[in-house]
Amino acid sequence: MGLEERAVLLTERLAALDQVKEWKHAIKMELTEPQYSVDQVQSLRTLDNPLMYCLLEKMGLLGLIKRTVIDLHCEALQTATAASNKQVKHLADDERLLPGMRTTDGCSLHVVRAARDNWEKITSEEMLKVANELGRPLVAPKATVETADRDDGHTATPEAEGSIQLQLYSPPFPEYRRLFSELAPECGQIGLDELFPAQRSAFIAEKNRVGDLVLAHQSVSMARQYSKTGCPVSLRPQVLSVPVTAQDRSYFDHLQKQAAEWAYLTDDMYLLDLQQTINSCDYFVFQDHLESVLMAFTRDTYVKAHALQVNGAVTCSLSGAGLPPTAATTDMTESRVPPNGVLPFSGLVMYMAPLAYLYTDPIEIYYVFRELYTRYWSKLNAIRTERGTILPVCKLFEDLVVRSSPAAVFHLRNIGLKPLDIAFPWIQSAFSGVLDIDQVLLLWDRVIGYDSLELVAIFAAALFHFRADELECVSTREEVDDLFAELIDIPVVTLLQNYLFGLP
């Protein structure tokens, strides 16, 4: 469908709405006021008259019309997507369109699988190339590996993705109000209500009472329901530990022993990310704990077996007797590098770092982090189309900001910037390292409570909307970065509530 056909369709649907009649009546009543001359009223017969624009803006109808048109457009896209999905529902989730079919943006969804396969091929080839250049095996006993010089400089990272060109389904905005109903202002929230002295004591006491009951039952569903309105600081460590089935100290010791005995080519890359994290004044005191957790994580084949998808591993032949085959391979002469299937990437340690403020024992940090990574954070690093993975989450962010902050989006595009260029690092990191640690944990409470990463996209859109007026005045990427440079004092709960329940 071409642009003109879309415009005609949206115009017809807009004209059919009952509220349009109310708007017309309101405009007619406004024009009866004495300040409007007959000539001015006659000139309004043409829609391109500047007076019409000013009149709509004065009456508050301009923004309402824009949002209504955007909602109609989204509904039309969702209807088309639903029809396509119904026709090809026998295909796999990540191949929802037939190979010959294309979205309205001209992009086939099967490119997602092609991109994923290509990415895994590239990472595998690059890992082997690095091994050849360094003259080192992918895995070998540590005694045979010479200590390599480490470069403490920052490695170049690829540019964040631009606009998502895939036609992925997102529910209508009102549906999110229903899905996240416990975030409504009438529900008491940790991160907001305890800040008011008049009700602090009673609110905290009741929250602790309910929390004790949840912990007594050790029910995952109850723990998630409890987390929807946030966890008190005193109970958060125990509540986060509820979904962890067991914390086997002997297994953790086994992983540490593997890390001590065998050197993998990827170890230095993991440690480089750790070094970047502990350079922060927030985390340098936790270096030993974070390093032990990180190295155990690299050796844990449980991660590859239970995560929705890991970002790749290289299969290699073992160079000598006694080397550790991984559970992912059946051949005793082969091993996966790294065993957990997660190739090092910048920001991995930031997924575990906030947990160091909750637990004093690295074993507790490890098992909670492993559960969070396999259930949530791995989805932010997997090229897939399932709801809650990075592509649909980014698409949701783009849909939301177009709806809530169209003027800011339009201005940014005019100066060559895309909203996702700004927000992608926030989303992929789940705001760890972006917000104050307390606020990160408050956001993670809700992610765990609702079992949904869509809240990360919604908060990113809320933050974008919060700065929308300032964004309309920027002219360079540097000014945008400066605008979002300090987000320490941003209140997560307040922004989520205002965005979900304050917008029309």
Side-chain angles (χ1 to χ4, degrees), residues 298-432:
T298 67
R299 303 311 198 258
D300 196 346
T301 56
Y302 175 97
V303 178
K304 183 173 177 59
H306 290 80
L308 173 67
Q309 181 186 328
V310 290
N311 62 355
V314 181
T315 302
C316 69
S317 298
L318 299 179
S319 58
L323 290 177
T326 58
T329 59
T330 57
D331 189 345
M332 293 298 289
T333 64
E334 289 189 348
S335 182
R336 294 279 188 183
V337 178
N340 64 355
V342 181
L343 288 173
F345 60 90
S346 178
L348 172 64
V349 179
M350 288 305 298
Y351 290 132
M352 71 176 71
L355 301 177
Y357 280 89
L358 302 182
Y359 305 100
T360 57
D361 189 342
I363 295 178
E364 293 180 297
I365 298 175
Y366 178 72
Y367 282 104
V368 173
F369 164 66
R370 188 181 72 171
E371 180 69 21
L372 292 177
Y373 187 85
T374 55
R375 189 169 187 86
Y376 301 112
W377 313 143
S378 62
K379 295 179 180 179
L380 296 177
N381 297 277
I383 304 175
R384 299 176 73 99
T385 58
E386 287 92 334
R387 187 171 173 178
T389 55
I390 188 67
L391 290 178
V393 168
C394 288
K395 185 65 166 64
L396 171 60
F397 165 78
E398 290 191 321
D399 291 344
L400 291 176
V401 295
V402 167
R403 182 186 187 277
S404 60
S405 312
V409 172
F410 182 75
H411 173 71
L412 288 175
R413 287 178 176 171
N414 278 343
I415 62 174
L417 296 177
K418 299 174 183 177
L420 190 57
D421 292 340
I422 302 166
F424 186 79
W426 308 342
I427 295 171
Q428 190 181 33
S429 66
F431 284 92
S432 182

Side-chain angles (χ1 to χ4, degrees), residues 118-135:
N118 189 48
W119 173 255
E120 292 178 353
K121 179 175 180 290
I122 290 173
T123 53
S124 178
E125 290 175 350
E126 287 299 314
M127 187 63 63
L128 294 172
K129 182 179 178 181
V130 170
N132 290 332
E133 289 177 352
L134 296 178

